[in-house]
Amino acid sequence: MRINSGYLADGRLTPRTPQGQVPVTETLNVRGHGHVYAVGDITDVPETKRAGYAMQHAEVVAGNIAAQLRGEKATAEYRAASDPMILLPLGPRGGVGQLPGPGGPDVLPAETVAEYKGADLFTGRFAELFGTA
Ligand SMILES: Cc1cc2nc3c(=O)[nH]c(=O)nc-3n(C[C@H](O)[C@H](O)[C@H](O)COP(=O)(O)OP(=O)(O)OC[C@H]3O[C@@H](n4cnc5c(N)ncnc54)[C@H](O)[C@@H]3O)c2cc1C
């Protein structure tokens, strides 16, 4: 996968990694910037690039921005998932997946993948989030 970050090529915000990623701190600040954050695929967080992780990044960053707006320190930190997760539906009832478990990665049965994702591909969850349900 190629990171589409050419618009940062002049290096004025930050030097990118050789992979074109933006270096971030544990609080997901762009390294060297206390009020600039990065989330999602563009970050150099050492994990596979997933929408699910991008959403977790966003929660950390939203918390930190809210804290700074209240005049507090940004203390929420993101820790890269130790085990990769994936939900791969095959139609609304089939599929396979892997989620982190207490003793390492857990393989999910098709019914669980369908329940989490396959039945509506998260459309219900996002309709609720954006108030369009
Ligand atoms: C085929 C495929 C399947 C995937 N399946 C899954 C999956 O099942 N589950 C999962 O969790 N993840 C999956 N992913 C990964 C997931 O899509 C990404 O991790 C997620 O979209 C990252 O979100 P993002 O906001 O960081 O980046 P993006 O979703 O890529 O958003 C970046 C946005 O910035 C825009 N942009 C780029 N340059 C500029 C510019 N100069 N000016 C203005 N806008 C610009 C782009 O057009 C884009 O809309 C999949 C990815 C691919 C390619």
Side-chain angles (χ1 to χ4, degrees), residues 11-12 23 39 48 52 62 73 80-81 87 103 128-129:
R12 284 195 297 170
V39 297
T48 51
K73 235 176 140 234
L87 295 174
E128 199 174 310
L129 180 67

Side-chain angles (χ1 to χ4, degrees), residues 59-117:
E59 285 185 23
V60 168
V61 168
N64 282 335
I65 291 173
Q68 288 183 310
L69 288 172
R70 292 192 301 269
E72 298 165 9
K73 235 176 140 234
T75 54
E77 294 189 352
Y78 180 77
R79 298 211 187 289
S82 49
D83 298 315
M85 63 173 183
I86 191 159
L87 295 174
L88 181 65
L90 294 170
R93 284 181 293 278
V96 68
Q98 172 180 297
L99 287 183
D106 279 341
V107 175
L108 301 180
E111 304 80 57
T112 311
V113 174
E115 187 188 329
Y116 278 150
K117 185 173 181 183

Side-chain angles (χ1 to χ4, degrees), residues 8-73:
L8 298 172
D10 64 12
R12 284 195 297 170
L13 175 67
T14 183
R16 293 174 300 158
T17 68
Q19 294 75 34
Q21 297 168 330
V22 168
V24 292
T25 65
E26 290 79 8
T27 50
L28 296 180
N29 284 97
V30 175
R31 205 165 279 285
H33 296 271
H35 292 87
V36 183
Y37 292 89
V39 297
D41 287 8
I42 203 170
T43 66
D44 72 342
V45 175
E47 62 192 2
T48 51
K49 298 307 177 189
R50 294 269 185 275
Y53 295 150
M55 287 188 280
Q56 292 174 21
H57 297 176
E59 285 185 23
V60 168
V61 168
N64 282 335
I65 291 173
Q68 288 183 310
L69 288 172
R70 292 192 301 269
E72 298 165 9
K73 235 176 140 234

